[in-house]
Amino acid sequence: MPTNQTPLIASDAHLAHAGLIELLAGQEVPCFESPQRATVIRDALLATGDYALEAPEDHGPDPIAAVHELELLDFVEHVWTDAVAHGWDAARPLLPDTFLLRGYAAGMTLDQLPAKRHLRLGAYCFDTATPIVAGTASAARASVDIALTAADRVLDGAQLAYGLCRPPGHHAGRNLIGGYCFFNNAAIVAESLVARGAARVAILDVDFHHGNGTQQIFWRRSDVLYVSLHGDPGGIYPYYSGYATERGADSGEGATVNLPLPAGTDGDAYLSSLGEALEAIAAFDADAPLVLSLGFDTYHADPICNLALQTDDYARIGSAIATLGMPVVALQEGGYAVDALGANAAAFLDALRAPRSARGQDMP
Ligand code: SP5
Ligand code: ZN
């Protein structure tokens, strides 16, 4: 591989996580989180010649179990086969209809779950937009392996590696799926960096949505900084987290930084909030690569979001992140304007891998 190429870790396992529907505003619609999203990004990056496509390596279940409860792994792994074995029509995705809201009433408890996993959907899922089909478990596992392989490449010496994760991860909590997410790829990478000896790991989340799962997982941790820019939870999914007042707890107080953004935020305003995020990350002084939760649902034409970024803005954001001077493990999260995803990903990653300010300066 020529040294100037950036590793692009991707797999076709996600293609079978398809035929998905979600309930959006009371309507059954085709899931915005589609296989085409990953296909167009991969093709656009490969067309530049600057990325080297590589398959993920199998890292096994242990790095997932370091972040998620074993019962969640078991659920994701086996819920589909349980359902089909008990008469579920395999042409239809599984979606929960009855949620276990912890503490809602006496008697609603995780201690007495239905024996069949598909009857427990609402105990492990927090929304109606995270469908499960036959290919979901292997896609979710491959997505984690993509993230961990990208991290391996950066630890091997690459300044940047891009994990084309699908399904995404940042909404998945310790014991909950949701927001199209099953396993929290970014959290699993951050935890694996700690396991490999890092004292401080920083996660920057630029997906349009608050990464409630990542925040939950590291809420009480002082060794993992979570910094997120996102749509104001006052009106935006996931609604119940992401306010600036949420700063972590116990020894983790101050190691969660939330920067909510008003509807219509454009590139200039975004860059100004990003400046605050980057200051917090620089001050944290991580001794590991930056873990980047990368979403393009901040785009002005995204069908489910409300910011106003243009394709050029992604180059500005990539260049700004590059000023940290940190190696970066970039992991794909959301972004649903399929026609623009390739251009936005190329603009962002090109700027991050070869920042404009540095171009032509470090070559003899
Ligand atoms: C990874 C990721 O980006 N997950 C996002 C999941 C969002 N799911 C529900 C969105 C509800 C949006 N309401 C939109 C109203 C549009 N008119
Ligand atoms: Zn998102």
Side-chain angles (χ1 to χ4, degrees):
M1 178 183 101
T3 50
N4 61 333
Q5 282 190 322
T6 293
L8 187 189
I9 319 299
S11 147
D12 283 340
H14 77 89
L15 293 172
H17 180 53
L20 310 173
I21 53 109
E22 64 180 279
L23 279 177
L24 185 73
Q27 265 201 311
E28 185 180 309
V29 296
C31 202
F32 286 93
E33 203 291 285
S34 69
Q36 291 68 38
R37 298 176 54 249
T39 307
V40 298
I41 292 175
R42 185 197 60 195
D43 292 351
L45 294 181
L46 290 180
T48 68
D50 293 331
Y51 297 84
L53 181 64
E54 199 186 320
E57 285 162 19
D58 185 358
H59 287 67
D62 291 353
I64 307 178
V67 158
H68 294 286
E69 302 286 344
L70 284 175
E71 61 184 88
L72 187 77
L73 268 80
D74 171 88
F75 170 78
V76 172
E77 199 76 29
H78 300 293
V79 64
W80 179 258
T81 42
D82 249 16
V84 171
H86 293 86
W88 185 260
D89 171 2
R92 303 210 329 263
L94 286 168
L95 276 183
D97 55 38
T98 306
F99 296 94
L100 171 64
L101 302 175
R102 280 101 169 148
Y104 173 76
M108 290 183 84
T109 168
L110 266 178
D111 300 338
Q112 302 172 60
L113 289 172
K116 304 303 170 234
R117 295 177 186 84
H118 63 296
L119 303 178
R120 305 176 196 165
L121 272 166
Y124 295 111
C125 183
F126 64 83
D127 68 14
T128 57
T130 312
I132 293 172
V133 293
T136 298
S138 54
R141 276 291 291 270
S143 196
V144 170
D145 284 326
I146 287 169
L148 288 166
T149 303
D152 291 343
R153 291 303 160 267
V154 173
L155 292 177
D156 290 346
Q159 185 65 17
L160 168 67
Y162 171 61
L164 184 38
C165 296
R166 179 176 182 272
H170 74 152
H171 293 300
R174 206 167 273 293
N175 213 16
L176 279 174
I177 66 171
Y180 315 140
C181 302
F182 300 88
F183 299 136
N184 194 316
N185 306 309
I188 291 165
V189 164
E191 186 68 53
S192 87
L193 293 170
V194 171
R196 289 186 253 192
R200 288 174 310 282
V201 179
I203 303 173
L204 172 63
D205 189 334
V206 297
D207 184 275
F208 169 73
H209 302 97
H210 182 239
N212 58 291
T214 314
Q215 171 168 300
Q216 180 219 30
I217 288 163
F218 298 114
W219 183 245
R220 293 172 198 283
R221 293 270 294 268
S222 58
D223 56 342
V224 180
L225 175 70
Y226 177 65
V227 182
S228 178
L229 287 81
H230 47 263
D232 189 332
I236 294 294
Y237 182 96
Y239 307 114
Y240 309 115
S241 70
Y243 290 97
T245 48
E246 296 161 30
R247 302 182 60 254
D250 301 338
S251 65
E253 195 175 339
T256 294
V257 177
N258 285 307
L259 298 163
L261 304 167
T265 294
D266 65 6
D268 289 345
Y270 193 95
L271 264 288
S272 139
S273 279
L274 181 64
E276 281 183 57
L278 298 179
E279 273 176 36
I281 291 168
F284 186 70
D285 193 26
D287 58 353
L290 178 69
V291 180
L292 181 65
S293 271
L294 177 59
F296 299 112
D297 36 11
T298 46
Y299 188 57
H300 70 92
D302 193 279
I304 57 172
C305 303
N306 69 7
L307 299 197
L309 299 195
Q310 307 285 338
T311 297
D312 288 350
D313 293 323
Y314 293 106
R316 300 168 70 197
I317 296 167
S319 298
I321 294 171
T323 64
L324 285 171
M326 296 170 73
V328 178
V329 182
L331 304 175
Q332 191 60 47
E333 301 281 0
Y336 309 100
V338 175
D339 293 345
L341 283 179
N344 290 345
F348 178 88
L349 291 167
D350 286 352
L352 185 56
R353 66 191 293 279
R356 220 161 289 172
S357 55
R359 254 175 218 162
Q361 283 175 19
D362 31 28
M363 298 300 287

